[in-house]
Amino acid sequence: MKTIKIAIQKSGRLNEKSVDLLKRSGLSFENYKSSLISPVSNFPLEILFLRDDDIPEYVQDGIADLGIVGENVIVEKEVDVTYLQKLGFGKCSLKLAIANHSDIKDLSDLSGKSIATSYPVILDKFLKENDIDAEIREISGSVEISTNLGLSDAIFDIVSTGGTLKSNGLKPFAEVMRSEAVLIGKNGIAKNPIVNELLQRIQSVLRAEQTKYVVMNAAKSSLSAILELLPGIKSPTIVPLATEEWVAVHTVIPEKDFWDKINRLKNAGAEGIVVLPIEKIIL
Ligand code: ATP
Ligand code: ZN
């Protein structure tokens, strides 16, 4: 069978987390910065290290079967590929930003103005949807200095903390798109059994990331109050303790309302709560 190829970013913001996810999914490979391609020793897969901008087209054209890349790049490149899985890292937001003292107050004020960006396709779509007739100035880097240089009235770029905007005298004005890293595949590839196996493994790692394993002690008299706080989980494991009338409760708790849940368990009588990371959850 033909070896499946997955393209990931060679260096940059997505490289480390992409490598980490594949390794936690049980794949064993060398991450040499100098090589373009790395075989996986324990799975029929090869890893291609590419610039992120090239990944969507490589996957669309089948040079790679799979790819890990930001949604922003996929949308910008207007490719026809299959979204297989959101990956929860590389989160960012694409925003319009204006100078602190700008006279632009709402979206319609952008008509007749110029906007600098390295994402002309996404911006053009947004402007059309909102009936704004602005001029798009495509530039490849350092978009945030263009307004100071008098090259544009506004910018459209990736913003994560807003620190870069601030230090350039800019403020965010409107959010156009949110993005995170996603696993994409060539159309039709999802049916491939090797791709399917890899996807299952990746999903087991992602599921585990969102969940903690929790062990707590409780007097039997508090047990029903504690169990009431653990809905959705069919059967927490309950183990008797050497101390009579006491038990240990083992369960999993989602990361998102973790502290709230822990505090409520404490109030209901849980003691000696131990929290453990989970490596994988296989359904
Ligand atoms: P390459 O050399 O591969 O072309 P790049 O310089 O274009 O890399 P990076 O800056 O490494 O790209 O960003 C890769 C992706 O990381 C972005 O396309 C975006 O999806 C995501 N990302 C997350 N946070 C940020 C951020 N603060 N700034 C830029 N990109 C971010
Ligand atoms: Zn790039």
Side-chain angles (χ1 to χ4, degrees):
M1 203 185 283
K2 191 175 144 276
T3 306
I4 296 287
K5 293 189 181 70
I6 182 167
I8 66 172
Q9 193 188 24
K10 185 174 175 66
S11 63
R13 289 188 156 91
L14 302 181
N15 166 268
E16 205 180 299
K17 294 220 163 107
S18 304
V19 166
D20 185 54
L21 176 65
L22 295 178
K23 295 212 158 162
R24 283 188 295 142
S25 300
L27 307 185
S28 194
F29 59 93
E30 300 292 342
N31 183 23
Y32 294 130
K33 292 279 173 236
S34 56
S35 67
L36 177 69
I37 186 157
S38 194
V40 173
S41 62
N42 58 354
F43 198 78
L45 189 75
E46 278 175 343
I47 303 183
L48 299 182
F49 297 95
L50 300 173
R51 284 202 58 195
D52 71 340
D53 313 66
D54 296 333
I55 293 176
E57 277 150 29
Y58 270 53
V59 172
Q60 175 182 255
D61 300 345
I63 298 162
D65 304 280
L66 302 169
I68 294 179
V69 68
E71 283 173 290
N72 54 317
V73 181
I74 304 168
V75 177
E76 182 62 29
K77 298 287 175 185
E78 300 184 286
V79 287
D80 182 16
V81 295
T82 305
Y83 278 65
L84 296 173
Q85 180 66 49
K86 289 195 181 214
L87 300 174
F89 62 86
K91 287 191 177 169
C92 58
S93 167
L94 277 80
K95 289 184 183 171
L96 282 159
I98 52 176
N100 287 330
H101 55 264
S102 172
D103 56 1
I104 297 170
K105 296 283 176 275
D106 59 71
L107 280 178
S108 60
D109 296 336
L110 285 169
S111 281
K113 304 279 201 231
S114 63
I115 309 171
T117 188
S118 18
Y119 293 94
V121 173
I122 298 174
L123 178 58
D124 186 51
K125 226 196 239 157
F126 176 80
L127 294 177
K128 288 209 170 99
E129 276 165 14
N130 288 281
D131 254 332
I132 300 162
D133 185 17
E135 185 200 342
I136 299 174
R137 298 229 162 119
E138 184 178 352
I139 48 179
S140 54
S142 306
V143 172
E144 61 285 346
I145 61 166
S146 71
T147 303
N148 281 337
L149 294 176
L151 290 168
S152 69
D153 302 304
I155 67 157
F156 173 61
D157 203 5
I158 292 182
V159 177
S160 44
T161 59
T164 315
L165 288 185
K166 214 169 186 179
S167 59
N168 283 285
L170 300 169
K171 59 182 180 190
F173 173 61
E175 181 172 78
V176 173
M177 177 186 177
R178 279 174 193 246
S179 173
E180 67 182 87
V182 291
L183 177 71
I184 53 167
K186 180 176 79 172
N187 288 340
I189 200 73
K191 287 193 227 91
N192 181 298
I194 290 164
V195 170
N196 213 280
E197 165 74 20
L198 180 65
L199 186 58
Q200 305 277 334
R201 290 195 191 188
I202 288 174
Q203 286 168 343
S204 78
V205 172
L206 297 175
R207 238 178 256 130
E209 259 175 9
Q210 292 152 13
T211 319
K212 298 275 181 245
Y213 193 87
V214 179
V215 181
M216 68 206 96
N217 294 337
K220 276 187 183 161
S221 54
S222 328
L223 197 54
S224 64
I226 287 174
L227 293 183
E228 241 170 67
L229 291 169
L230 305 171
I233 297 148
K234 274 188 211 130
S235 51
T237 308
I238 298 164
V239 191
L241 292 182
T243 317
E244 232 175 277
E245 294 305 308
W246 279 73
V247 292
V249 179
H250 294 226
T251 191
V252 294
I253 293 184
E255 181 82 80
K256 66 172 171 34
D257 52 354
F258 180 76
W259 282 110
D260 177 52
K261 189 88 349 140
I262 291 292
N263 288 333
R264 295 212 272 152
L265 286 166
K266 268 163 70 181
N267 291 338
E271 289 183 14
I273 304 173
V274 176
V275 181
L276 305 156
I278 302 176
E279 196 175 306
K280 295 183 178 67
I281 296 180
I282 297 141
L283 297 178

